[in-house]
Amino acid sequence: MPQLEKTILEVQDLSIAYPITIGVVRAVEGVSFTLDDGEALGLVGESGCGKSTLGLSILKLHRPPGRVTGGKILYRGTDILSMSDRALLKMRGQNISMIFQNPLTSLNPLFTVEKHFLETIHFHDASMPRERARAAVGKMLETLGIEKKRLKEYPHQLSGGMRQRIMIGLALIMNPDIIIADEPTTSLDVIVEAGFTDLLMSLRSIYKLSIILITHNLGLVAEIADRIAVMYAGRLMEVATTEEIFAHPLHPYTQGLIACVPNILVDQKELVTMPGSPPDLVDRPAGCPFAPRCPQVIPICRQKTPALIQHAPSHSAACWLYRQKEG
């Protein structure tokens, strides 16, 4: 009998706001999704759509004045948002880890590679003998394809790709359940990015990881993710399996994102662009946030905000147009 999938992370109706002098920025609004054991979820959308804020909030790392205004984040049934500071510190790295956008600014310039690893291990397991910790670091570097001589080097002595590998190693050293990768290939060239993709897929298999991959790179999520969640203006527009998203995108925003990706198999003389820009999150338009840019807009789109509704097995979309077609 096949083993049933087990949900290890559940985000329920999460909203995050940033009070500023001219109003309130609603960076995340009413977002709900689940992550199963061993699953890779891609979180995609344009810059400023709330992807990184959502990822940081899972570890309760969103910065002041940002605050959660509603919802829950459940890790194996425990609400992360209600955890004490001490419990949060233990959970970060041990149960859920994060790979940040820029490894150079995330690594301590005064620490060698070895000290970064040993400090992480001893924070979570102070009783581990130093030699055993060093052996664990050596094994991790071998898995990452990094020479041991790099242990004595400092972050500025490493290439961008090497620093990213170190960040991955730090995220994995305590064998967490979930890795959140926030734009992990932003600073990498295409060759190094391809190597990173292969490495992440290999590590996912070795460590049985669940992954949340935050990116605007649709090519990257197509290779890594099992499911894709499309964000726009702080809301989820569409959630489906990767195959379904690319084969049958329902939401006009998702269709626009996919159309903007250059296709070498098509005789394409000009790059496709999506007109307009994301809305002001302080003064949102009424109705669907994508309505001002949508080529298929209908009157109700400008009046009411559509909920994320399941239209097919493993495929949900927040779009009035599709719901009217069904009716």
Side-chain angles (χ1 to χ4, degrees):
M1 185 174 181
Q3 187 176 0
L4 296 176
E5 294 179 343
K6 183 179 181 182
T7 297
I8 61 172
L9 183 74
E10 185 175 1
V11 176
Q12 298 178 351
D13 201 25
L14 183 69
S15 295
I16 301 170
Y18 289 82
I20 58 176
T21 54
I22 61 171
V24 178
V25 176
R26 290 175 287 170
V28 175
E29 193 170 30
V31 168
S32 299
F33 67 88
T34 60
L35 181 71
D36 290 334
D37 194 12
E39 181 185 29
L41 175 70
L43 195 60
V44 303
E46 292 170 283
S47 296
C49 70
K51 305 186 303 294
S52 293
T53 298
L54 178 56
L56 289 168
S57 71
I58 293 172
L59 286 169
K60 208 175 178 180
L61 287 173
H62 49 279
R63 296 178 180 176
R67 57 189 178 86
V68 175
T69 57
K72 294 181 178 181
I73 302 172
L74 304 176
Y75 168 70
R76 296 193 182 279
T78 300
D79 188 4
I80 291 172
L81 299 176
S82 64
M83 284 184 175
S84 66
D85 290 343
R86 185 178 180 84
L88 277 169
L89 287 172
K90 284 294 182 182
M91 183 203 67
R92 294 169 184 158
Q94 187 162 301
N95 304 114
I96 305 175
S97 288
M98 192 158 193
I99 303 170
F100 295 95
Q101 286 190 32
N102 190 340
L104 187 58
T105 58
S106 301
L107 297 170
N108 191 325
L110 302 179
F111 283 9
T112 62
V113 170
E114 183 178 47
K115 189 168 182 180
H116 276 94
F117 278 101
L118 293 179
E119 185 184 68
T120 301
I121 292 171
H122 289 146
F123 176 81
H124 291 287
D125 188 358
S127 64
M128 183 181 290
R130 195 169 185 83
E131 288 308 311
R132 186 178 161 197
R134 281 181 167 161
V137 174
K139 184 178 179 181
M140 177 58 68
L141 259 62
E142 184 180 340
T143 302
L144 295 169
I146 300 174
E147 296 176 287
K148 287 189 178 181
K149 67 180 183 180
R150 298 285 190 175
L151 284 171
K152 302 302 179 183
E153 294 183 352
Y154 292 85
H156 71 274
Q157 296 176 288
L158 306 173
S159 67
M162 191 67 70
R163 286 193 291 264
Q164 193 62 280
R165 284 174 179 250
I166 296 300
M167 285 297 299
I168 295 171
L170 290 170
L172 290 175
I173 193 66
M174 297 309 299
N175 196 23
D177 293 326
I178 301 170
I179 293 287
I180 303 170
D182 185 11
E183 300 281 7
T185 62
T186 298
S187 58
L188 306 180
D189 61 46
V190 290
I191 302 299
V192 179
E193 179 184 305
F196 169 85
T197 304
D198 292 341
L199 175 63
L200 192 60
M201 292 175 70
S202 173
L203 293 174
R204 178 190 174 190
S205 176
I206 294 170
Y207 292 94
K208 312 299 180 187
L209 293 171
S210 297
I211 299 173
I212 297 177
L213 178 62
I214 301 169
T215 183
H216 59 271
N217 188 335
L218 290 178
L220 187 63
V221 291
E223 289 194 56
I224 294 176
D226 301 308
R227 280 191 304 145
I228 295 176
V230 181
M231 280 194 80
Y232 183 77
R235 301 181 68 90
L236 288 183
M237 297 287 104
E238 187 166 357
V239 181
T241 63
T242 301
E243 184 178 348
E244 273 291 309
I245 283 283
F246 283 97
H248 307 290
L250 299 181
H251 201 284
Y253 179 61
T254 309
Q255 295 167 7
L257 287 178
I258 293 172
C260 290
V261 179
N263 189 340
I264 61 173
L265 301 178
V266 176
D267 184 12
Q268 192 175 5
K269 295 181 179 179
E270 295 183 6
L271 293 175
V272 176
T273 60
M274 197 183 304
S277 57
D280 183 349
L281 296 183
V282 176
D283 185 21
R284 291 172 179 266
C288 175
F290 188 60
R293 305 172 68 187
C294 183
Q296 303 177 60
V297 64
I298 54 178
I300 195 173
C301 300
R302 301 187 188 276
Q303 300 164 8
K304 295 182 180 181
T305 303
L308 188 70
I309 301 296
Q310 184 173 337
H311 297 288
S314 302
H315 201 155
S316 302
C319 182
W320 287 116
L321 181 69
Y322 191 77
R323 291 170 69 176
Q324 290 212 348
K325 284 180 180 177
E326 282 188 328

PDB file of all heavy atoms in Angstrom, residues 45 66 90 107 113 121 124 132 139-140 167 181 249 267 273-274 294 306-307 319:
ATOM      1  N   GLY A  45       6.784  35.064  -8.951  1.00  0.00           N
ATOM      2  CA  GLY A  45       6.085  36.323  -9.167  1.00  0.00           C
ATOM      3  C   GLY A  45       7.084  37.439  -9.376  1.00  0.00           C
ATOM      4  O   GLY A  45       8.292  37.260  -9.188  1.00  0.00           O
ATOM      5  N   GLY A  66       7.268  45.555  10.193  1.00  0.00           N
ATOM      6  CA  GLY A  66       6.356  44.532   9.695  1.00  0.00           C
ATOM      7  C   GLY A  66       5.784  43.691  10.816  1.00  0.00           C
ATOM      8  O   GLY A  66       6.487  43.332  11.770  1.00  0.00           O
ATOM      9  N   LYS A  90      16.056  27.731  18.308  1.00  0.00           N
ATOM     10  CA  LYS A  90      16.380  26.315  18.145  1.00  0.00           C
ATOM     11  C   LYS A  90      15.802  25.748  16.853  1.00  0.00           C
ATOM     12  O   LYS A  90      16.418  24.908  16.200  1.00  0.00           O
ATOM     13  CB  LYS A  90      15.864  25.514  19.353  1.00  0.00           C
ATOM     14  CG  LYS A  90      16.706  25.678  20.597  1.00  0.00           C
ATOM     15  CD  LYS A  90      18.096  25.083  20.396  1.00  0.00           C
ATOM     16  CE  LYS A  90      18.952  25.178  21.644  1.00  0.00           C
ATOM     17  NZ  LYS A  90      20.316  24.646  21.410  1.00  0.00           N
ATOM     18  N   LEU A 107      27.176  35.904   5.219  1.00  0.00           N
ATOM     19  CA  LEU A 107      28.303  35.274   5.903  1.00  0.00           C
ATOM     20  C   LEU A 107      29.092  36.321   6.678  1.00  0.00           C
ATOM     21  O   LEU A 107      29.208  37.462   6.247  1.00  0.00           O
ATOM     22  CB  LEU A 107      29.214  34.571   4.889  1.00  0.00           C
ATOM     23  CG  LEU A 107      28.580  33.413   4.113  1.00  0.00           C
ATOM     24  CD1 LEU A 107      29.487  32.969   2.977  1.00  0.00           C
ATOM     25  CD2 LEU A 107      28.277  32.240   5.033  1.00  0.00           C
ATOM     26  N   VAL A 113      35.417  29.652   6.889  1.00  0.00           N
ATOM     27  CA  VAL A 113      34.352  28.711   6.530  1.00  0.00           C
ATOM     28  C   VAL A 113      34.137  27.715   7.663  1.00  0.00           C
ATOM     29  O   VAL A 113      33.001  27.439   8.069  1.00  0.00           O
ATOM     30  CB  VAL A 113      34.700  27.978   5.222  1.00  0.00           C
ATOM     31  CG1 VAL A 113      33.725  26.826   4.971  1.00  0.00           C
ATOM     32  CG2 VAL A 113      34.698  28.950   4.045  1.00  0.00           C
ATOM     33  N   ILE A 121      26.835  24.313  14.451  1.00  0.00           N
ATOM     34  CA  ILE A 121      26.663  23.003  15.095  1.00  0.00           C
ATOM     35  C   ILE A 121      26.606  23.149  16.613  1.00  0.00           C
ATOM     36  O   ILE A 121      25.711  22.608  17.276  1.00  0.00           O
ATOM     37  CB  ILE A 121      27.808  22.049  14.697  1.00  0.00           C
ATOM     38  CG1 ILE A 121      27.699  21.685  13.210  1.00  0.00           C
ATOM     39  CG2 ILE A 121      27.769  20.781  15.555  1.00  0.00           C
ATOM     40  CD1 ILE A 121      28.894  20.920  12.684  1.00  0.00           C
ATOM     41  N   HIS A 124      23.363  24.541  18.217  1.00  0.00           N
ATOM     42  CA  HIS A 124      22.246  23.614  18.308  1.00  0.00           C
ATOM     43  C   HIS A 124      22.575  22.364  19.116  1.00  0.00           C
ATOM     44  O   HIS A 124      21.671  21.726  19.664  1.00  0.00           O
ATOM     45  CB  HIS A 124      21.791  23.205  16.903  1.00  0.00           C
ATOM     46  CG  HIS A 124      21.143  24.313  16.144  1.00  0.00           C
ATOM     47  ND1 HIS A 124      19.883  24.776  16.436  1.00  0.00           N
ATOM     48  CD2 HIS A 124      21.587  25.076  15.113  1.00  0.00           C
ATOM     49  CE1 HIS A 124      19.564  25.759  15.615  1.00  0.00           C
ATOM     50  NE2 HIS A 124      20.581  25.966  14.796  1.00  0.00           N
ATOM     51  N   ARG A 132      34.095  15.382  16.415  1.00  0.00           N
ATOM     52  CA  ARG A 132      32.922  14.848  15.715  1.00  0.00           C
ATOM     53  C   ARG A 132      32.279  15.931  14.847  1.00  0.00           C
ATOM     54  O   ARG A 132      31.828  15.670  13.732  1.00  0.00           O
ATOM     55  CB  ARG A 132      31.923  14.324  16.744  1.00  0.00           C
ATOM     56  CG  ARG A 132      30.733  13.616  16.114  1.00  0.00           C
ATOM     57  CD  ARG A 132      29.806  13.091  17.179  1.00  0.00           C
ATOM     58  NE  ARG A 132      28.474  12.811  16.644  1.00  0.00           N
ATOM     59  CZ  ARG A 132      27.388  12.648  17.382  1.00  0.00           C
ATOM     60  NH1 ARG A 132      27.480  12.744  18.695  1.00  0.00           N
ATOM     61  NH2 ARG A 132      26.237  12.400  16.837  1.00  0.00           N
ATOM     62  N   LYS A 139      32.447  15.943   6.012  1.00  0.00           N
ATOM     63  CA  LYS A 139      31.531  15.138   5.203  1.00  0.00           C
ATOM     64  C   LYS A 139      30.613  16.032   4.379  1.00  0.00           C
ATOM     65  O   LYS A 139      30.331  15.750   3.208  1.00  0.00           O
ATOM     66  CB  LYS A 139      30.712  14.225   6.114  1.00  0.00           C
ATOM     67  CG  LYS A 139      29.803  13.269   5.352  1.00  0.00           C
ATOM     68  CD  LYS A 139      29.053  12.346   6.307  1.00  0.00           C
ATOM     69  CE  LYS A 139      28.121  11.412   5.530  1.00  0.00           C
ATOM     70  NZ  LYS A 139      27.359  10.523   6.452  1.00  0.00           N
ATOM     71  N   MET A 140      30.156  17.141   4.989  1.00  0.00           N
ATOM     72  CA  MET A 140      29.278  18.071   4.275  1.00  0.00           C
ATOM     73  C   MET A 140      30.013  18.702   3.100  1.00  0.00           C
ATOM     74  O   MET A 140      29.477  18.809   1.993  1.00  0.00           O
ATOM     75  CB  MET A 140      28.768  19.151   5.228  1.00  0.00           C
ATOM     76  CG  MET A 140      27.893  20.220   4.553  1.00  0.00           C
ATOM     77  SD  MET A 140      26.431  19.556   3.714  1.00  0.00           S
ATOM     78  CE  MET A 140      25.475  18.982   5.130  1.00  0.00           C
ATOM     79  N   MET A 167      26.610  28.444   1.860  1.00  0.00           N
ATOM     80  CA  MET A 167      25.309  28.766   2.440  1.00  0.00           C
ATOM     81  C   MET A 167      24.395  27.541   2.449  1.00  0.00           C
ATOM     82  O   MET A 167      23.663  27.302   3.416  1.00  0.00           O
ATOM     83  CB  MET A 167      24.646  29.898   1.650  1.00  0.00           C
ATOM     84  CG  MET A 167      25.237  31.269   1.900  1.00  0.00           C
ATOM     85  SD  MET A 167      25.057  31.834   3.611  1.00  0.00           S
ATOM     86  CE  MET A 167      23.280  31.873   3.782  1.00  0.00           C
ATOM     87  N   ALA A 181      14.718  28.578   0.086  1.00  0.00           N
ATOM     88  CA  ALA A 181      15.757  29.183  -0.758  1.00  0.00           C
ATOM     89  C   ALA A 181      15.200  30.455  -1.382  1.00  0.00           C
ATOM     90  O   ALA A 181      14.313  30.394  -2.234  1.00  0.00           O
ATOM     91  CB  ALA A 181      16.206  28.199  -1.832  1.00  0.00           C
ATOM     92  N   PRO A 249      -2.046  27.024 -17.850  1.00  0.00           N
ATOM     93  CA  PRO A 249      -2.163  28.121 -16.875  1.00  0.00           C
ATOM     94  C   PRO A 249      -3.557  28.739 -16.955  1.00  0.00           C
ATOM     95  O   PRO A 249      -4.051  29.047 -18.041  1.00  0.00           O
ATOM     96  CB  PRO A 249      -1.081  29.103 -17.334  1.00  0.00           C
ATOM     97  CG  PRO A 249      -0.882  28.821 -18.796  1.00  0.00           C
ATOM     98  CD  PRO A 249      -1.115  27.354 -18.953  1.00  0.00           C
ATOM     99  N   ASP A 267      10.135  30.757 -33.511  1.00  0.00           N
ATOM    100  CA  ASP A 267      10.708  31.877 -34.261  1.00  0.00           C
ATOM    101  C   ASP A 267      10.127  33.178 -33.691  1.00  0.00           C
ATOM    102  O   ASP A 267       9.088  33.668 -34.132  1.00  0.00           O
ATOM    103  CB  ASP A 267      10.371  31.743 -35.742  1.00  0.00           C
ATOM    104  CG  ASP A 267      11.026  32.829 -36.589  1.00  0.00           C
ATOM    105  OD1 ASP A 267      11.912  33.524 -36.053  1.00  0.00           O
ATOM    106  OD2 ASP A 267      10.648  32.989 -37.765  1.00  0.00           O
ATOM    107  N   THR A 273       6.503  41.273 -23.474  1.00  0.00           N
ATOM    108  CA  THR A 273       6.501  41.949 -22.177  1.00  0.00           C
ATOM    109  C   THR A 273       5.074  42.063 -21.660  1.00  0.00           C
ATOM    110  O   THR A 273       4.113  42.002 -22.426  1.00  0.00           O
ATOM    111  CB  THR A 273       7.108  43.363 -22.272  1.00  0.00           C
ATOM    112  OG1 THR A 273       6.336  44.146 -23.189  1.00  0.00           O
ATOM    113  CG2 THR A 273       8.553  43.314 -22.735  1.00  0.00           C
ATOM    114  N   MET A 274       4.949  42.228 -20.346  1.00  0.00           N
ATOM    115  CA  MET A 274       3.649  42.406 -19.733  1.00  0.00           C
ATOM    116  C   MET A 274       3.465  43.893 -19.444  1.00  0.00           C
ATOM    117  O   MET A 274       4.234  44.478 -18.677  1.00  0.00           O
ATOM    118  CB  MET A 274       3.567  41.596 -18.429  1.00  0.00           C
ATOM    119  CG  MET A 274       2.151  41.379 -17.942  1.00  0.00           C
ATOM    120  SD  MET A 274       2.087  40.497 -16.343  1.00  0.00           S
ATOM    121  CE  MET A 274       3.015  39.013 -16.729  1.00  0.00           C
ATOM    122  N   CYS A 294      -4.795  43.377 -16.756  1.00  0.00           N
ATOM    123  CA  CYS A 294      -5.280  42.129 -17.342  1.00  0.00           C
ATOM    124  C   CYS A 294      -5.884  42.340 -18.733  1.00  0.00           C
ATOM    125  O   CYS A 294      -6.780  43.169 -18.909  1.00  0.00           O
ATOM    126  CB  CYS A 294      -6.330  41.496 -16.424  1.00  0.00           C
ATOM    127  SG  CYS A 294      -6.920  39.896 -17.015  1.00  0.00           S
ATOM    128  N   PRO A 306     -11.444  38.066  -6.221  1.00  0.00           N
ATOM    129  CA  PRO A 306     -11.767  36.636  -6.306  1.00  0.00           C
ATOM    130  C   PRO A 306     -10.971  35.820  -5.290  1.00  0.00           C
ATOM    131  O   PRO A 306      -9.813  36.116  -4.999  1.00  0.00           O
ATOM    132  CB  PRO A 306     -11.345  36.270  -7.734  1.00  0.00           C
ATOM    133  CG  PRO A 306     -10.253  37.247  -8.057  1.00  0.00           C
ATOM    134  CD  PRO A 306     -10.604  38.516  -7.344  1.00  0.00           C
ATOM    135  N   ALA A 307     -11.624  34.809  -4.732  1.00  0.00           N
ATOM    136  CA  ALA A 307     -10.933  33.890  -3.813  1.00  0.00           C
ATOM    137  C   ALA A 307     -10.187  32.830  -4.613  1.00  0.00           C
ATOM    138  O   ALA A 307     -10.491  32.581  -5.779  1.00  0.00           O
ATOM    139  CB  ALA A 307     -11.953  33.237  -2.884  1.00  0.00           C
ATOM    140  N   CYS A 319      -9.566  33.773 -10.100  1.00  0.00           N
ATOM    141  CA  CYS A 319      -9.881  34.498 -11.332  1.00  0.00           C
ATOM    142  C   CYS A 319     -11.379  34.425 -11.620  1.00  0.00           C
ATOM    143  O   CYS A 319     -11.941  33.323 -11.740  1.00  0.00           O
ATOM    144  CB  CYS A 319      -9.099  33.907 -12.504  1.00  0.00           C
ATOM    145  SG  CYS A 319      -9.375  34.755 -14.064  1.00  0.00           S
TER     146      CYS A 319
END
